[in-house]
Amino acid sequence: MSTAPPLCLTVAGSDSGGGAGIQADLKTMLALGVHGMSVVTAVTAQNSLGVRGVWELPAEAVTAQYRAVVDDIGVQAVKTGMLSSAVLVETVAALLADTRAPAVVDPVGVSKHGDALLAASALDAVRKELLPRATVATPNLDEVAQLTGVVVETEDDMRRAADAILGHGPRWALIKGGHLAAHGHEAVDLLSDGTEERWLRAPRHDNRHTHGTGCTLASAIAAGLARGLTVPEAVTAAKEYVTGAIAAGFALGGGIGPVDHAWQWR
């Protein structure tokens, strides 16, 4: 009888189109050799063109799923994604406080199509309750601006953004500079814990099929942490995985297609 692989849990919304959310998280975890488990926070009706509807689950359903998994199976890393309301943010923050495993918090604010996925009233809960529980927080530049007011246009701004996010309590901040216009040919991210700083640079692929990038990156980091990597090791490996997945992203439907979670096998 073989032993179970490392255990990784995603707490996020479902994406019916299969490119982002829980579906992207579980595909990423499988691709990276860990056993993925899930707590669904919301059901979305979405496709390559956008989000048509969101149905949030009650806090008790989220708590019950989380406890069912953690109390019986256990967990070696947790990743959080779409938590659309203050109540869900507070619920998940309380669950994380009671869990010893490292947590990767992706403070999802808007979808690739510009659809708001987080109520304004929830931002305060993200700052005060959720970010302090994070081993790594992975905001993109829009989410940095939403959470801290720091508008990033240069690499120096990314340092200021990291410090502002770290001020809310996560151990590490990964500022995702993928939307930084100044770097036409490069996708630049900054990982910082306030003393150690790592710049992660990758070629920018001219591929518009990037649905699920943020979910995939955060899940890949969580998978690395579940496997026992340090935060810098997990983030570096995750960036490599995501860069390959973006390069292999494919068209789906009439809009933005997904990154290819299985690119290493094809």
Side-chain angles (χ1 to χ4, degrees):
M1 211 170 68
S2 50
T3 55
L7 306 170
C8 203
L9 175 63
T10 167
V11 183
S14 164
D15 169 11
S16 52
I22 290 268
Q23 287 78 355
D25 299 338
L26 294 175
K27 290 173 193 181
T28 299
M29 290 169 189
L30 178 67
L32 295 177
V34 302
H35 173 67
M37 305 172 290
S38 63
V39 171
V40 179
T41 59
V43 174
T44 71
Q46 65 176 296
N47 54 26
S48 70
L49 300 170
V51 179
R52 294 184 173 187
V54 178
W55 294 265
E56 196 180 289
L57 266 72
E60 68 207 73
V62 170
T63 300
Q65 290 174 82
Y66 190 100
R67 290 263 60 97
V69 169
V70 174
D71 294 347
D72 171 47
I73 300 169
V75 67
Q76 280 143 311
V78 182
K79 176 249 159 164
T80 72
M82 177 183 168
L83 307 171
S84 45
S85 68
V87 169
L88 285 188
V89 172
E90 287 159 7
T91 299
V92 171
L95 290 165
L96 291 178
D98 197 31
T99 308
R100 293 186 55 180
V104 180
V105 170
D106 186 17
V108 176
V110 288
S111 79
K112 269 280 181 303
H113 306 93
D115 301 296
L117 300 175
L118 181 72
S121 58
L123 284 170
D124 226 31
V126 171
R127 291 185 202 104
K128 291 181 178 155
E129 311 281 336
L130 192 62
L131 289 177
R133 310 274 174 237
T135 309
V136 193
T138 64
N140 64 29
L141 301 185
D142 293 335
E143 289 151 2
V144 164
Q146 263 189 322
L147 289 164
T148 69
V150 174
V151 175
V152 176
E153 285 165 359
T154 66
E155 289 193 6
D156 270 351
D157 293 341
M158 287 180 74
R159 279 200 181 93
R160 287 178 35 237
D163 289 341
I165 290 288
L166 289 167
H168 292 297
R171 291 217 350 251
W172 293 83
L174 176 64
I175 307 301
K176 300 181 297 193
H179 299 168
L180 202 58
H183 293 271
H185 58 287
E186 251 186 348
V188 183
D189 303 330
L190 171 61
L191 175 68
S192 172
D193 68 351
T195 51
E196 189 182 339
E197 186 179 275
R198 286 192 186 209
W199 292 91
L200 299 129
R201 300 174 191 278
R204 184 190 294 280
H205 293 287
D206 185 21
N207 185 351
R208 71 191 196 96
H209 300 301
T210 55
H211 186 53
T213 310
C215 310
T216 299
L217 179 68
S219 292
I221 296 168
L225 295 177
R227 285 173 24 225
L229 300 182
T230 65
V231 169
E233 288 167 346
V235 169
T236 303
K239 172 87 167 172
E240 281 173 25
Y241 171 73
V242 167
T243 300
I246 291 171
F250 50 88
L252 206 65
I256 299 172
V259 303
D260 184 359
H261 296 99
W263 68 274
Q264 292 159 308
W265 303 336
R266 290 196 209 281

